[in-house]
Amino acid sequence: MPTYRNLDKTPRIFFLPGDQIFPWIIISLVSYFLVRKVFGLSWVWVLTVSGWGIGTWWVLTFQGMHYFFGRLVSSPHWVRAIVEYKSVLNHGQSWSKKSRRSRWQKG
């Protein structure tokens, strides 16, 4: 049976990941509109803001967000404990609207 090396790989356009191209175009257009048209700043600021936005998007979403955020949160340390179960509520207590109202009126 032949093996296919290109299965389960993301598409690429030259060296750029293909699934990142459209978000990068949107980030660049929004950066251009905000920086150049709204604030009237130079092209250096447009490139800086769009580069910052593209870099942030790439870090957060490249190969899935869990690759980035998974390193920040440590996995929980599970401990098995044997404790006797105690109910939080009393067995005869009812949590209907009537019992809550009467509880607040008494106090």
Side-chain angles (χ1 to χ4, degrees):
M1 179 167 233
T3 58
Y4 299 103
R5 294 181 297 153
N6 291 331
L7 290 178
D8 295 330
K9 288 189 177 181
T10 59
R12 300 180 86 59
I13 300 172
F14 298 112
F15 60 91
L16 301 173
D19 58 344
Q20 298 283 325
I21 297 296
F22 291 113
W24 290 357
I25 290 171
I26 293 170
I27 290 170
S28 298
L29 292 175
V30 169
S31 299
Y32 169 77
F33 179 76
L34 286 176
V35 174
R36 188 79 173 152
K37 297 293 182 182
V38 174
F39 294 115
L41 298 174
S42 68
W43 281 100
V44 173
W45 285 104
V46 172
L47 294 176
T48 303
V49 170
S50 65
W52 170 72
I54 288 170
T56 302
W57 180 263
W58 190 31
V59 166
L60 294 178
T61 61
F62 182 68
Q63 293 182 350
M65 288 175 42
H66 61 278
Y67 286 110
F68 177 74
F69 290 113
R71 291 182 280 148
L72 301 177
V73 178
S74 63
S75 59
H77 178 69
W78 293 96
V79 178
R80 186 173 182 184
I82 301 174
V83 179
E84 182 183 342
Y85 175 76
K86 293 185 180 180
S87 177
V88 177
L89 300 175
N90 295 335
H91 291 288
Q93 187 175 7
S94 158
W95 284 95
S96 66
K97 292 181 182 178
K98 182 179 177 183
S99 66
R100 277 189 260 151
R101 272 186 270 148
S102 63
R103 192 178 90 202
W104 289 107
Q105 290 174 355
K106 290 179 185 176

